């Protein structure tokens, strides 16, 4: 997940490709951060406090003749100020509702596809006519799902045991005819946003610190009293007692430093009351008061859709939750929002405030359903599952409108599984889909998917008016005219479509969830302009329904686009604002006249004449070749009706006489007339840009209905020409001097990058101002089947100065350089900023874009050439990651429940669960890599993917979807489960053996710096090393990249694994000075990989071992028979009475046959320990003691001690074999003593007194001393092994506990846990909790119990 960017206290969410855009969790951070490389999805908004200034605004202004917030020299009063916080005037919504108060959204149902809507938020409870505002609240992602398939029954006292292990009291008034209670549990922080979690952690840490300080004070007091009482400590026991008191103090202080709150666990209970499924939560662990939050006190909830009721977890969090029950009570969905974004969006659309109507949303009468698509597990990122389920819900609820303020850059426009489903929803079910265009501006072709790239979706850009600037943004001086925000994404799409359909107000002070502890918050972004437009459309639909006018997405879109007010004064401004600022009142007038016209959309497919592919939706002449000649294009126009249209009544009669107009006379030529029927028509367009000047030019061919010219354009064919200037100078240098900037101004320069250029070095010099200035600098190039190649920077100049940048480019392609001064930067100073921009092109051309070293000793030849100017050739290459391939060990295909996963078409969604296993011998930083599926969500024909990595204890370490993230794993064994969804079983069948890679990051010591040579034999001979040289333009130079030396390969890397890294070739003049160690820091680097070959055969293996044997054949045969009998004994399963009887019979027989054979006796002891279905515990532990004694007695301890005390000669014949035997015997002895000690302790615990040997008891009868078997056994064990090690330390801990030295016991146990590594052993933590309970540290008991749910969850989470 990418990090947010804070600009003047306003946050913009970014990716590696953008500064401020769609999709991320809204977190305030204290400083400007560099965008991360992790993900490209962002929440499409920025967030700031009421008094803060957003810094990403500006382009061209709307003319001020329209009274839509574009007012000159105005002053705010209270009402205009409040109105500016929730802008409606800009789209004429206020005028419309004033004229038609009953058309305020009533009768319209809007689906909000977002991060979730809080039904308790201010303004979102009822509509303007008193109806419930929110009709349903759904978590479409599954992030709040709880497995409640475990069924229990209450005991006589009305108690049940939850899956957390807690005892829960059921409210006796709850009806449950079956008596069956479904139980599950959830870590509550998994349901909360990170902002809320951070707040709770601070509150809880404060309370915990208070309790811990009390415990420390008491421990210090006890230690102080001991020291005062015992001034001289000579006695061993006294020393141990003091060490115990000191350990308590040390432990408490250490825990204060290592405190890590993973949050409490809440128990969930689901039951059927005879009519509906109901659920309740036990939230005691969240409450301050012990009597609050109990299960019995929770007001039971059913699915929100049925009763529209919600709850909160506790007063501390103030977080609203909704409960929905699925799959016959086996799944409970706890619905919370994953950020304030969704509630804010919903508030803009339709909030209703009876006491302050100026703060109403655009359509206060509209009703909503909340479809949460932002997955809480991913910090609010959308998932394919969430998107598809949201569409299912919207159709199921018969919604009229969808608003979605999410998106990301895409590889292919108007393509993908989600796009296919959206088309079905719009064309068949007549939903109107509105979405944000993105926040990746100001460069062209930055619109995101799905809003800016999908034909069936109305993409909305973000507009700011002077009133908004003065009021909502609290500027001391507002701009004279309205304008598009600078960060609002621009068209065209890469296939030439306009990208932005319309614009609306892009900022608002709107409701936010109750957990934020405030009613409303200011945010701006296309996330805000989309619901503003959606609210405006809800007003139109309200009127259309009331007046019984037919509703169609096609006619509504036509009305919106043909009644907009243009933003800006030039044709090119359409690429920023679409058709302009939507106007509700004018669109209403238009629709009233349009109702008799058939509802038709016009599908445009364009190809270059003579070619059948690729097809596009517009004409986009971007590269120099197309701008230097005339081209002809074939346009196919097909009228498309809704799926339920009648063939005879609508399709056959359809016929339109169309007059075609071109806005580029002489440059863009098209036929004058066209007779269009249902089957469509083709016509040609000729575009001749040869006479155009360098720069951006925009034209349209639009169609008017000859019979109804008042309708305006029926369809438009956008034609965008970005004619680049050529770089003819040598060295290749382009300078733009004296560019003048005022707040909000954008300069676009288009340059044909010289062939051979691979990077540029840019210097930006500013002058002519006295207060700080902030600029966006964007560079964009477009290549086939790639996301737009974008580089960006935010540059702040506190005073006139210069800054330098370097970034990669692709030679031979047009580069747009967009330079924009923030609209708020320099407002009020009235200085004009002068900017000089110098671009110097550099390049080293190579013959291999990707280098693959095949695992052999042969190097790879690289040819390098500088085509532009002298360049320093200084190659650097590093292999710093290893990708290990895995195939699934298991695959399961299942049909999902129709309740949530049946598509609108009626098809059932299927799920494929793939299971992979892997192991790390030491801790590692890893990331799953799935080449087929990664990095695409919208432009992907697969519906959804989700993975989960867990250890053998079922603890989840990582979750992710199409954008995997790095996770740190301790050493141990892991399972990765990959969950794929689709309705096509054949697709999923093909994925059953899907290969994935686990990409492990190598640390600095393991990373391999590769060497270079001038000769192919260099890697073997060791001479002819290549370091650097100077490339002369036109002259090629070659060198060899050597494979890594075999002894440099990371340990444990198996054959078939792939080492990957980067290689760079050139040096820039500034900014990179890492001595070639990290090529990735170079502006231009390429991929390099090495396939790990099979490991060398160890020819020495087996040498020196003696094949001779001193035993006779008969002796060998007897040993083989004996060992075979022992193997049979070990393989007998004791899970049944019959198995236990067989095992006992055979064990007695073998003991009589081999009475002193230690391995047999050790196996019998091992089998006894593993038994868990015994009734008499004391008898069982006494059997273990007896079996352990038999092992001990079978060993000649004197001989063993003698051997271990003498250092043997490893060179002596048979020494290694003898050592191995003696080590094994020592381990068997130690294990027997250890297990005996544990069993004695258990017997002691069960009997309540120390265990005494009967013979010893007789010997000391009448004396005061009683032999202590445990202590004697402990001392014997102490002779052979270290009793504080993780293997045997439990016995030491038990001993210290017996003596009341809990502090020492805890210290040793903590050391054992640290030493033991991963995965952790539950028995250690159970023992730790019992010690903490005995010592009386309740706050630590609670803390450790919460961690138990993290380390040892009862089951894996649901997908």
């Amino acid at each position: 997940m990418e990090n947010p960017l804070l600009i003047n206290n306003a946050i913009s969410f970014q990716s590696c490709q953008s500064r401020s855009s769609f999709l991320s969790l809204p977190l305030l951070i204290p400083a400007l951060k560099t965008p991360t490389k992790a993900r490209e999805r962002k929440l499409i908004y920025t967030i700031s406090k009421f008094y803060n200034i957003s810094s990403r605004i500006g382009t061209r202004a709307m003319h001020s003749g329209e009274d839509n917030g574009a007012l000159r020299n105005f002053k705010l009063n209270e009402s205009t100020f409040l109105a500016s916080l929730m802008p409606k005037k800009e789209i004429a919504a206020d005028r419309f509702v004033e004229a038609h108060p009953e058309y305020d959204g009533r009768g319209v149902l809007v689906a909000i596809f977002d991060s979730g809507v809080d039904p308790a938020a201010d303004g979102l409870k009822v509509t303007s006519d008193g109806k419930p505002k929110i009709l349903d609240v759904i978590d479409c992602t599954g992030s709040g799902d709880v497995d409640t398939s475990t069924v229990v029954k209450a005991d006589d006292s009305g108690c049940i045991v939850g899956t957390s292990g807690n005892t829960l009291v059921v409210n006796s008034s709850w009806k449950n005819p079956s008596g069956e209670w479904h139980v599950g549990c959830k870590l509550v922080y998994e349901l909360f946003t990170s902002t809320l979690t951070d707040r709770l952690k601070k509150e809880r840490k404060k309370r915990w610190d208070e309790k811990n300080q009390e415990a420390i004070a008491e421990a210090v007091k006890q230690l102080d009293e001991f020291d005062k009482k015992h001034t001289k400590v000579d006695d061993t026991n006294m020393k141990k007692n003091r060490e115990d008191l000191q350990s308590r103090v040390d432990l408490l202080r250490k825990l204060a430093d290592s405190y890590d709150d993973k949050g409490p666990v809440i128990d969930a209970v689901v039951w059927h009351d005879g009519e509906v499924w109901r659920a309740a939560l036990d939230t005691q662990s969240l409450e301050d008061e012990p009597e609050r939050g109990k299960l019995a006190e929770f007001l039971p909830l059913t699915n929100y859709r049925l009763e529209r009721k919600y709850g909160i977890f506790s007063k501390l969090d103030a977080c609203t939750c909704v409960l929905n029950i699925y799959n016959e009570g086996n799944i409970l969905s706890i619905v919370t929002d994953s950020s304030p974004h969704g509630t804010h969006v919903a508030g803009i659309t339709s909030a209703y405030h009876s006491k302050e109507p100026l703060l109403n949303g655009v359509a206060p009468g509209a009703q909503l359903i909340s479809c949460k698509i932002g997955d809480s597990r991913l910090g609010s990122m959308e998932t394919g599952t969430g998107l598809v389920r949201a569409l299912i819900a919207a159709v199921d609820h018969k919604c009229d409108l969808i608003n979605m303020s999410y998106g990301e850059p895409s590889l292919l426009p108007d393509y993908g599984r989600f796009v296919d489903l959206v088309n079905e929803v719009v064309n068949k079910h007549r939903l109107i889909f509105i979405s944000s265009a993105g926040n990746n501006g100001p460069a062209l072709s930055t619109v995101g998917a799905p809003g800016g790239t999908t034909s069936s979706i109305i993409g909305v850009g973000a507009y700011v008016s002077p009133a908004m600037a003065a009021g909502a943004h609290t500027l001391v001086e507002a701009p004279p005219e309205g304008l598009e925000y600078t960060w609002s994404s621009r068209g065209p799409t890469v296939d030439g479509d306009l990208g932005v359909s319309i614009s609306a107000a892009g900022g608002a002070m709107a409701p936010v969830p109750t957990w934020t502890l405030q009613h409303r918050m200011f945010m701006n972004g296309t996330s805000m302009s989309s619901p503003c437009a959606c609210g405006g459309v809800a007003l139109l639909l309200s009127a259309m329904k009331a007046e019984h006018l037919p509703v169609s997405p096609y006619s509504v879109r036509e009305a919106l686009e043909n009644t907009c007010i243009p933003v800006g004064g030039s044709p090119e401004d359409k690429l920023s604002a679409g058709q302009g600022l939507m106007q509700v009142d004018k669109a209403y007038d238009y629709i009233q006249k349009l109702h008799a016209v058939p509802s038709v959309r016009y599908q445009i497919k364009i190809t270059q004449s003579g070619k059948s592919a690729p097809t596009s939706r517009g004409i986009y002449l971007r590269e120099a070749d197309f701008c230097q000649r005339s081209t002809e294009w074939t346009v196919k126009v097909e009228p498309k009706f809704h799926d339920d249209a009648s063939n005879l009544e609508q399709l056959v009669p359809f016929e339109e006489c169309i007059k075609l107009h071109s806005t580029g006379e002489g440059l863009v030529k098209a036929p004058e007339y066209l007779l269009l029927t249902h089957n469509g028509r083709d016509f040609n367009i000729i575009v001749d840009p040869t006479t155009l000047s360098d720069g951006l030019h925009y034209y349209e061919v639009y169609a008017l209905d000859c019979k109804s010219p008042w309708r305006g354009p029926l369809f438009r064919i956008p034609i965008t020409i970005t004619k680049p200037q050529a770089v003819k100078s040598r060295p290749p240098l382009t300078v733009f001097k004296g560019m003048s900037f005022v707040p909000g101004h954008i300069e676009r320069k288009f340059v044909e990058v010289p062939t051979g250029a691979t990077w540029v070095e840019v210097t930006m010099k500013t002058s002519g101002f006295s207060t700080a200035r902030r600029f966006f600098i964007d560079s964009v190039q477009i290549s086939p089947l790639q996301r737009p190649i974008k580089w960006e920077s935010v540059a702040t100049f506190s005073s006139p100065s210069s800054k330098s940048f370097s970034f990669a480019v692709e030679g031979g392609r047009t580069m747009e350089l967009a330079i924009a001064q923030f609209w708020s930067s320099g407002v009020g100073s009235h200085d004009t900023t002068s900017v000089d921009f110098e671009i110097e092109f550099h390049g080293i051309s190579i013959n291999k874009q990707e280098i693959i070293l095949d695992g052999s000793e042969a190097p790879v030849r690289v040819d390098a050439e500088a085509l532009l100017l002298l360049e320093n050739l200084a190659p650097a290459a590093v292999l710093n990651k290893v990708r290990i391939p895995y195939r699934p060990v298991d695959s399961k295909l299942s049909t999902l429940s129709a309740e949530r996963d049946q598509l609108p078409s009626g098809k059932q969604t299927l799920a494929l669960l793939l299971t992979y296993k892997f192991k790390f011998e030491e801790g590692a930083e890893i990331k799953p890599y799935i080449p087929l599926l990664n990095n695409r969500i919208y432009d992907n024909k697969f519906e959804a993917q989700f993975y989960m990595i867990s250890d053998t204890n079922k603890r989840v370490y990582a979750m992710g979807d199409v954008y995997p993230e790095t996770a740190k794993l301790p050493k141990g064994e892991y399972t990765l489960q990959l969950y794929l969804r689709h309705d096509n079983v054949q697709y999923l069948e093909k994925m059953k053996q899907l290969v994935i890679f686990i990409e492990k990051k190598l640390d600095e010591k393991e990373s391999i710096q590769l060497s270079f040579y001038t000769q192919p034999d260099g890697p073997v001979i060791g001479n002819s090393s290549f370091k650097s040289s100077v490339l002369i333009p036109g002259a090629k130079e070659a060198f060899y990249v050597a494979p890594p030396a075999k002894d440099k390969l990371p340990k444990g890397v198996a054959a078939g694994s792939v080492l990957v890294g980067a290689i760079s070739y050139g040096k820039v003049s500034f900014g990179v000075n890492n001595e070639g160690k990290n090529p990735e820091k170079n502006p231009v680097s390429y991929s390099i990989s090495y396939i790990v070959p099979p490991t060398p055969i160890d020819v020495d293996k087996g040498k020196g071992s003696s094949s001779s044997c001193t035993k006779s054949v008969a002796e060998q045969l007897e040993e083989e028979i004996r060992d075979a009998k022992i193997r049979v004994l070990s393989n007998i399963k004791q899970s049944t009475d019959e198995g236990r009887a067989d095992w006992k019979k055979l064990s007695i027989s073998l003991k009589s046959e081999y009475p002193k054979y230690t391995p047999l006796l050790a196996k019998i002891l091992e089998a006894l320990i593993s038994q868990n279905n015994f009734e008499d515990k004391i008898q069982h532990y006494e059997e273990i003691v007896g079996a352990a004694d038999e092992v001990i007695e079978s060993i000649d301890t004197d001989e063993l001690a003698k051997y271990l005390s003498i250092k043997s000669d490893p060179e002596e014949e048979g020494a290694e074999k003898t050592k191995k035997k003696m080590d094994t015997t020592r381990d068997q002895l130690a294990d027997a003593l250890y297990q005996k000690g544990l069993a004695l302790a258990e017997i002691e615990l069960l009997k309540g007194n120390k265990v005494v040997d009967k013979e010893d008891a007789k010997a000391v009868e009448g004396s005061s001393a009683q032999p202590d078997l445990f202590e004697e056994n402990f001392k014997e064990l102490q002779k052979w092994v270290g009793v504080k090690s993780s293997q045997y330390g439990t016995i030491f801990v038990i001993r210290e506990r017996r003596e009341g030295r809990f502090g020492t016991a805890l210290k040793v146990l903590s050391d054992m846990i640290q030493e033991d590594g991963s995965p952790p052993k539950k028995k250690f933590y159970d023992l730790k909790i019992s010690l903490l309970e005995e010592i009386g540290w309740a706050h630590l008991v609670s803390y450790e119990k919460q961690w138990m749910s993290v380390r040892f969850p009862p089951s894996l989470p649901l997908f």
Side-chain angles (χ1 to χ4, degrees), residues 550-620:
V551 175
S552 164
Y554 309 154
S555 56
V556 169
R557 182 167 189 158
E558 180 183 326
L560 291 173
E561 293 184 347
N562 285 341
T563 57
C564 285
I565 296 175
V567 177
S570 71
E572 290 76 22
D573 287 314
K574 280 196 173 186
L575 297 170
S576 296
Q579 302 306 326
L581 190 62
M582 70 174 287
Q583 299 294 292
V584 177
D585 53 350
K586 292 181 180 180
Y588 168 68
D589 295 340
Y590 186 100
I591 281 174
Q592 284 187 312
K593 296 168 65 178
L594 192 69
H595 70 274
V597 178
S599 296
V600 177
R601 68 180 174 92
Y602 299 86
Q603 180 176 285
I604 307 294
K605 291 185 178 180
I606 303 172
T607 57
Q608 192 173 356
S609 295
K611 297 182 179 180
S612 59
T615 61
S616 62
R617 295 172 294 163
I619 299 173
Y620 193 5

Side-chain angles (χ1 to χ4, degrees), residues 59-64 66 70 463-464 481-484 490 503 564-581:
T59 54
R60 291 194 144 156
M62 184 189 88
H63 294 295
S64 59
E66 296 291 340
Y463 169 88
V464 60
E481 298 174 322
L483 59 156
E484 206 76 2
R490 267 63 177 182
S503 288
C564 285
I565 296 175
V567 177
S570 71
E572 290 76 22
D573 287 314
K574 280 196 173 186
L575 297 170
S576 296
Q579 302 306 326
L581 190 62

Side-chain angles (χ1 to χ4, degrees), residues 1042-1309:
K1046 300 300 184 285
D1047 60 350
K1048 297 290 185 182
L1049 297 181
K1051 292 180 182 178
V1053 176
S1057 299
V1058 183
L1059 293 171
V1060 295
I1063 183 169
S1064 64
Y1065 300 96
K1067 279 188 175 182
V1068 298
S1069 304
F1070 51 84
V1072 179
N1073 184 21
N1074 61 341
E1075 299 176 355
K1077 291 183 179 180
N1078 189 355
E1080 292 169 334
K1081 291 186 177 180
N1082 195 292
V1084 186
S1085 63
Y1086 304 88
S1087 173
I1088 185 168
S1089 59
Y1090 172 76
I1091 301 170
V1092 178
T1095 54
I1097 298 172
D1098 188 355
V1099 294
D1100 295 325
K1101 191 174 182 180
K1103 285 185 179 180
S1105 61
S1106 176
S1107 59
S1108 62
C1109 183
T1110 59
K1111 295 180 181 179
S1112 66
V1113 173
E1115 288 174 326
Q1116 293 180 52
L1117 181 60
E1118 186 179 345
E1119 288 182 358
E1120 290 291 339
I1121 294 171
R1122 178 198 65 200
D1123 294 343
K1125 290 179 179 179
I1126 295 173
R1127 284 196 296 272
V1128 171
L1129 178 69
S1130 300
N1131 291 331
I1132 295 175
K1133 294 182 179 179
Q1134 299 186 61
S1135 55
T1136 63
D1137 291 340
E1138 184 181 358
R1140 285 190 292 276
D1142 289 341
W1143 179 88
K1144 191 169 185 178
K1145 182 178 179 182
L1146 182 56
S1147 65
I1148 293 171
S1149 172
L1150 291 177
K1151 275 200 295 182
S1152 64
E1153 191 173 356
Y1154 311 106
K1156 293 293 184 179
Y1157 187 55
T1158 305
L1160 167 64
L1161 301 174
K1163 283 290 182 185
I1164 292 172
L1165 173 61
E1166 182 184 323
L1168 282 170
I1169 293 165
S1170 64
Q1171 289 179 5
N1172 53 15
N1173 47 1
F1174 44 83
E1175 294 180 3
D1176 189 335
K1177 290 186 178 181
I1178 292 177
Q1179 180 185 345
H1180 171 71
Y1181 288 120
E1182 285 176 343
E1183 287 179 3
I1184 291 175
V1185 171
D1189 282 337
E1190 289 178 344
V1191 174
I1192 296 164
E1193 290 167 6
S1194 72
I1195 296 170
D1196 187 340
T1197 53
D1198 292 336
E1199 181 188 354
L1200 179 61
K1202 182 179 178 181
Y1203 174 82
L1204 294 176
S1205 65
I1206 301 172
K1207 187 174 182 181
S1208 59
D1209 183 2
E1211 300 296 327
E1212 188 178 325
E1213 185 176 356
E1216 185 178 346
K1217 187 176 181 181
T1218 303
K1219 182 180 184 305
K1220 184 177 180 182
K1221 179 183 176 182
M1222 286 300 186
D1223 286 346
T1224 302
T1225 303
R1226 190 261 321 273
D1227 292 343
Q1228 289 169 338
L1229 173 62
D1231 189 59
L1233 289 166
Y1234 175 68
Q1235 297 298 341
K1236 179 182 177 181
L1238 295 180
L1240 289 170
E1242 290 293 339
I1243 294 170
E1244 191 175 286
L1245 191 65
L1246 292 167
K1247 288 185 174 180
N1249 61 299
K1250 292 184 178 181
V1251 181
V1252 179
D1253 185 87
K1254 293 177 182 177
E1255 296 297 325
D1256 289 343
K1258 288 179 182 178
V1260 294
E1261 193 171 347
S1263 70
S1264 59
Q1266 288 286 329
D1268 187 340
L1269 277 185
F1270 178 89
E1271 187 65 23
E1272 290 175 359
N1273 184 80
F1274 177 81
K1275 289 178 178 177
E1276 184 65 23
L1277 176 63
Q1278 206 170 18
K1279 295 176 184 178
W1280 302 99
V1281 291
V1283 290
K1284 291 186 180 180
S1285 67
S1286 60
Q1287 188 173 358
Y1288 303 107
T1290 304
I1291 205 78
F1292 183 88
V1293 173
I1294 291 172
R1295 183 199 188 212
E1296 292 302 298
R1297 182 169 68 176
R1298 291 172 86 245
E1299 301 299 329
R1301 294 192 287 264
F1302 303 118
T1304 306
L1306 278 168
K1307 182 180 183 301
V1308 172
L1309 181 58

Side-chain angles (χ1 to χ4, degrees), residues 2 11-14 18-26 40-47 56 113-115 339 341-342 344-345 348 373 380-382 403-409 433-441 446-453 457-462 485 487-490 505-508 523-531 938:
E2 60 285 87
I11 295 181
S12 301
F13 291 85
Q14 325 192 18
S18 63
R19 272 182 305 271
S20 134
S21 284
F22 341 41
L23 283 191
S24 185
L25 188 64
E40 294 183 341
R41 287 183 283 162
K42 288 87 32 190
L43 282 170
I44 312 178
Y45 75 111
T46 60
I47 174 175
R56 297 214 58 183
F113 288 13
D114 216 285
S115 60
S339 87
H341 187 265
H344 195 274
V345 164
I348 294 172
I373 62 170
S380 193
M381 301 299 162
E382 80 273 50
N403 182 84
M404 178 171 156
S405 295
Y406 267 62
E408 66 172 23
F433 201 128
I434 298 173
S435 184
S436 35
N439 295 352
N440 276 348
T446 50
V447 285
T453 61
I457 295 177
I458 299 173
V460 186
Y485 281 93
W487 37 252
S488 188
S489 288
R490 267 63 177 182
M523 302 183 195
N524 56 194
T526 53
S527 276
M528 284 64 248
S529 61
S530 181
Y938 295 104

Side-chain angles (χ1 to χ4, degrees), residues 31 111 120 177 297 370 384 486 692 730 748 823 825 852 930 937 999 1034 1194 1202 1220 1245 1255 1330 1335:
E297 295 179 354
S370 168
T486 304
L692 291 175
R730 287 297 181 269
R748 302 184 190 278
W823 78 282
S825 178
I852 300 175
I930 311 167
I937 181 168
E999 185 178 277
S1194 72
K1202 182 179 178 181
K1220 184 177 180 182
L1245 191 65
E1255 296 297 325
S1330 68
I1335 208 170

Side-chain angles (χ1 to χ4, degrees), residues 679-994:
N679 289 319
R681 285 295 303 274
D682 293 356
F683 63 92
N684 285 5
I685 292 176
I686 296 174
V687 181
D688 183 5
T690 54
T691 59
L692 291 175
S693 60
D694 296 341
L696 173 63
H697 306 273
Y698 178 81
Y699 306 100
E700 285 181 352
V701 171
Y702 61 91
L704 297 180
D705 185 345
C706 294
K707 295 181 180 179
S708 306
W710 61 267
R711 290 174 63 186
L714 304 182
F715 60 85
R716 300 173 176 85
I717 298 166
I719 299 151
T720 308
I721 303 169
T722 58
K723 191 169 185 178
Q725 69 177 61
V727 181
K728 298 177 180 178
S729 65
R730 287 297 181 269
L733 188 69
T734 298
V735 179
F736 301 106
K737 281 190 170 291
M739 294 184 290
S740 297
F741 286 87
V742 294
H745 179 66
I746 300 173
E747 284 282 348
R748 302 184 190 278
K749 302 297 182 182
F750 298 89
V751 181
E752 181 186 359
V753 177
T755 300
T758 54
W759 81 88
V760 296
E761 296 178 7
V762 173
T763 300
M764 179 177 177
K765 185 179 180 181
T766 58
S767 61
F769 59 92
S770 55
T771 58
R773 295 291 188 270
R774 182 170 292 172
F775 286 86
F776 285 178
I777 308 104
D778 287 0
S779 166
V780 172
Q781 289 184 285
I782 296 176
S783 283
L785 295 180
Q786 288 187 45
R787 291 179 176 179
I789 304 166
K790 187 179 182 188
W791 171 87
E792 58 189 10
S793 181
V794 176
T796 300
F797 296 85
S798 56
S799 61
S801 59
S802 62
K803 293 181 183 292
S804 297
F805 316 93
S806 63
F807 52 89
V809 293
E810 187 174 329
R813 293 198 175 276
T814 296
M815 174 184 73
E816 177 194 1
L817 184 68
I819 309 163
Q821 183 176 329
F822 291 0
W823 78 282
S824 61
S825 178
V827 167
S829 71
H830 303 290
D831 293 332
T832 298
T833 308
S834 179
V835 173
D836 295 340
F837 218 87
E838 181 180 284
I839 308 172
E840 185 175 28
F841 292 90
H842 293 262
I844 296 178
S845 298
I846 55 170
N847 63 328
K848 290 181 172 64
Q849 291 292 312
E850 181 179 1
I851 292 178
I852 300 175
L853 298 162
D854 59 13
S856 71
E857 285 68 26
V860 172
R861 174 190 166 111
V862 175
D863 295 339
E865 183 180 13
L867 300 179
L868 304 176
L869 71 165
L870 292 174
E871 296 288 0
N872 288 317
L873 175 62
V878 64
L879 300 173
N880 53 13
K881 292 183 283 287
V882 58
R883 288 178 181 161
I884 309 165
Y886 292 93
R887 282 197 186 275
V889 297
D890 186 37
S891 63
K892 292 180 181 177
L893 190 63
S894 60
T895 302
L896 298 177
S897 167
E899 210 168 358
R900 287 199 285 183
D901 294 304
Q902 187 173 48
L903 298 171
S905 64
K907 291 182 179 179
Q908 199 65 40
T909 305
L910 307 171
L912 176 64
L913 182 63
L914 301 175
T915 302
Y916 302 82
K917 301 280 188 180
F918 57 96
K919 181 179 181 180
F920 289 115
E921 296 298 336
E922 56 185 25
E925 201 170 323
I926 67 104
K927 180 171 72 173
Y929 173 59
I930 311 167
L932 177 66
L933 301 174
N934 283 166
N935 302 321
R936 293 181 296 135
I937 181 168
Y938 295 104
D939 45 355
N940 190 335
K941 286 293 183 178
F942 266 87
E943 179 176 308
Q945 56 185 288
F946 201 93
Y947 70 84
M948 192 182 302
I949 299 174
S950 58
D951 66 10
T952 52
N953 290 324
K954 300 186 181 69
R955 177 180 177 181
V956 175
Y957 279 86
M959 292 181 176
D961 64 337
V962 297
Y963 296 97
E965 293 190 344
T966 300
K968 290 184 178 180
L969 303 183
K971 73 173 183 180
E973 296 179 4
Y974 293 92
T975 299
L976 184 147
Q977 291 185 309
L978 178 62
Y979 184 75
L980 305 173
R981 291 165 45 107
H982 208 282
D983 64 318
N984 190 316
V985 67
Q986 293 179 342
Y987 292 172
L988 295 176
E989 286 285 352
K990 291 178 181 179
M991 306 290 275
K992 281 190 172 181
Q993 290 300 316
L994 179 70

Side-chain angles (χ1 to χ4, degrees), residues 140-168:
C140 301
T141 68
S143 58
D145 284 2
V146 181
D147 182 354
T148 52
S149 59
T150 301
V151 179
V152 299
K153 295 208 171 189
D155 60 18
D156 295 338
S157 59
C159 295
I160 58 176
V161 178
T163 54
S164 69
N166 293 330
T167 300
L168 310 171

